[in-house]
Amino acid sequence: MGDAVSLVAGALRHKLALHGAASLTRVEWQMLRVSTLLHALASLSLLRLISDAPLIELTGIAEGLDAIGAAEASTLMHYTVREVTAANAPGLGAARRQTLVGVADRLRLALVPMRGGIEQLLVDFAFRQPELMPDEGELVGAPQPA
């Protein structure tokens, strides 16, 4: 994961840990979910993400991708949610793991070429959000750029 995205994700996780879930805005949740996907992609833990995360969280990742403008990746994630839902059907327990391995492999292969673009969209999205910008009062006393 790129340095800027890691910085954003770290700051959001810190805020979440310090102040709880209610402290994050809708935009911050979207950014955190997209960064979670990027982290899973970079750390080769995509299978664990789609196997263990609640379906609502996977849907949230798709919505986050859509919010930042990564429409193709969002479509892939929505499709993944449908595949995971189908793999969770009663009576498919024995085949679930193998199905999810295939789903994760297909998703990884599709997302790897998009990763850099998604990271750039995430950073651009963050800079367009007025709620993430400090108030002028917060900048008082801060060193001014040269």
Side-chain angles (χ1 to χ4, degrees):
M1 193 164 38
D3 291 341
V5 174
S6 291
L7 188 64
V8 168
L12 291 172
R13 285 190 181 99
H14 178 73
K15 182 178 180 181
L16 180 62
L18 213 60
H19 303 289
S23 69
L24 294 184
T25 66
R26 181 183 56 80
V27 166
E28 290 170 327
W29 275 113
Q30 290 167 332
M31 292 170 42
L32 184 59
R33 287 179 174 129
V34 171
S35 69
T36 297
L37 174 66
L38 290 169
H39 175 71
L41 193 58
S43 65
L44 303 175
S45 59
L46 203 51
L47 175 60
R48 184 174 27 170
L49 176 68
I50 68 167
S51 297
D52 297 344
L55 291 173
I56 192 74
E57 186 65 22
L58 297 177
T59 300
I61 291 170
E63 291 168 356
L65 288 164
D66 196 41
I68 69 167
E72 186 177 353
S74 174
T75 299
L76 288 168
M77 200 63 206
H78 278 295
Y79 184 71
T80 297
V81 170
R82 286 193 297 274
E83 288 183 303
V84 171
T85 300
N88 288 339
L92 298 178
R96 181 180 188 269
R97 171 100 174 130
Q98 193 58 36
T99 299
L100 293 179
V101 166
V103 170
D105 286 346
R106 284 191 303 275
L107 183 61
R108 183 183 50 76
L109 288 172
L111 289 178
V112 163
M114 296 180 205
R115 185 174 148 204
I118 294 169
E119 289 183 4
Q120 185 62 53
L121 287 168
L122 180 60
V123 171
D124 293 346
F125 179 77
F127 279 106
R128 289 192 314 266
Q129 303 309 310
E131 66 192 70
L132 301 179
M133 298 300 135
D135 294 330
E136 285 187 34
E138 293 177 30
L139 296 177
V140 173
Q144 298 299 316

